Amino acid sequence: HRMISQSFDDKPKIGIVKDGVKLIIHEKPDFKSYSVCSICSGERVMIDDEESTDHMYKVFTEIGIEGFCDKNFIRIEEGGSNG
């Protein structure tokens, strides 16, 4: 099932917050921009590659908040693999 009722492509790209991290979601693709919320390790986000930048992913959280976060703290969930 989809977290969000928008379809970007057939399979949305899902990222998971790495262990031991509280990840800040920023309003703009800028680390100095306003912090919209933070999410804990293990939480899943949907990634929008088109709006992502070199350092930050554009993400949608499970409760529908959108914003930008540090790429270093997200690991991509590979479709169909267990790793």
Side-chain angles (χ1 to χ4, degrees):
H1 68 280
R2 246 168 240 258
M3 288 190 294
I4 295 171
S5 58
Q6 292 162 300
S7 56
F8 290 83
D9 32 43
D10 291 345
K11 276 203 182 123
K13 189 170 179 182
I14 301 298
I16 299 172
V17 183
K18 290 181 180 175
D19 289 344
V21 172
K22 194 168 183 192
L23 185 58
I24 306 280
I25 307 289
H26 295 274
E27 188 180 30
K28 301 191 174 88
D30 176 356
F31 291 112
K32 296 187 194 74
S33 73
Y34 177 76
S35 157
V36 183
C37 72
S38 61
I39 56 178
C40 299
S41 57
E43 286 201 47
R44 298 169 68 189
V45 294
M46 191 165 82
I47 295 168
D48 180 354
D49 272 332
E50 290 200 5
E51 288 195 61
S52 297
T53 68
D54 287 345
H55 302 290
M56 302 182 88
Y57 284 130
K58 167 74 181 278
V59 297
F60 297 88
T61 69
E62 291 187 309
I63 56 173
I65 294 170
E66 60 181 279
F68 295 85
C69 66
D70 192 332
K71 282 185 173 180
N72 294 320
F73 298 121
I74 295 280
R75 64 182 173 84
I76 301 303
E77 181 178 81
E78 302 299 339
S81 77
N82 299 327

